[in-house]
Amino acid sequence: GLRSIPSLSCFRRLRYLWINNNKIQDLTFLIKNYCLTELYLNNNELTDISGALKQLRALQILLLHNNQLKQLGKTVKELKGMISLQTLNLFHNPLAEDPDYRLYVIYFLPSVQLLDRKAVTQREREAALHLFNHERSWVMQSIAFGRTVNTPLGTIVGSSRCTQPARRLTLPSVWKHSDNVLLLSSLCRVPFENPEDAVLLRAMARSLMEFSCVDWNKVATCQERRLENKVTKPHKKLTILFR
């Protein structure tokens, strides 16, 4: 039932603090507790945390669920400096009713791995990037950064989690075919809904590179070729074609 707590600044090395299940509305008593790594503030009456937690850069676990936090932008801004924050709970707050709430938190707090008791997935990170940084998302999809397609060209990658037939690649309307060459208008840059489509299309449009290697130890020198008794062996050339 605590409504206020005196300053804890004398406990400079305090690392873990449980003050959940109270009626706390003000967090100014934590201003100098820089070593805190776990802070449990759930089930209180907090309406705003602006200016109260941003100095706690060592926090790894922060539970704020079941409070009265209303402003998503201000709340997330307060937590941006916590580069070690991995576990965060904000559910059962008015701000969690925002339609883009989860993706907003995932994008602006990239260190968080467990949000509202649910692990953050790579698909959610990609969706958050596409929603809040559309230009960068398009660039990453257009160059297929960090992805590979382990199937022959002309086939489509299917999900490894299902046994359904592979889906055909559906190109945006801005893509045009001309002599089997894919052209994209520079004015119409539409990102793909499925990143695998961007990877495949990138692979199909990529130019060919050819590398050849020869074991020069088995190639006769000009002096050896002049010797009549020298048996020449045909050298082997290995050529590899990359797309």
Side-chain angles (χ1 to χ4, degrees), residues 88-102:
L88 175 64
N89 281 359
L90 289 171
F91 64 92
H92 291 169
N93 280 285
L95 57 78
E97 298 176 4
D98 188 292
D100 298 321
Y101 150 72
R102 185 172 176 87

Side-chain angles (χ1 to χ4, degrees), residues 77-106:
K77 183 179 180 181
E78 183 71 12
L79 308 180
K80 277 187 176 181
M82 302 177 185
I83 58 176
S84 299
L85 187 61
Q86 299 180 6
T87 301
L88 175 64
N89 281 359
L90 289 171
F91 64 92
H92 291 169
N93 280 285
L95 57 78
E97 298 176 4
D98 188 292
D100 298 321
Y101 150 72
R102 185 172 176 87
L103 294 182
Y104 185 90
V105 176
I106 290 173

Side-chain angles (χ1 to χ4, degrees), residues 4 50 68 102 109 153 177 187 221 231 235:
S4 62
S50 300
Q68 298 299 319
R102 185 172 176 87
L109 302 177
L153 293 179
H177 294 265
L187 299 178
T221 63
V231 179
H235 63 271

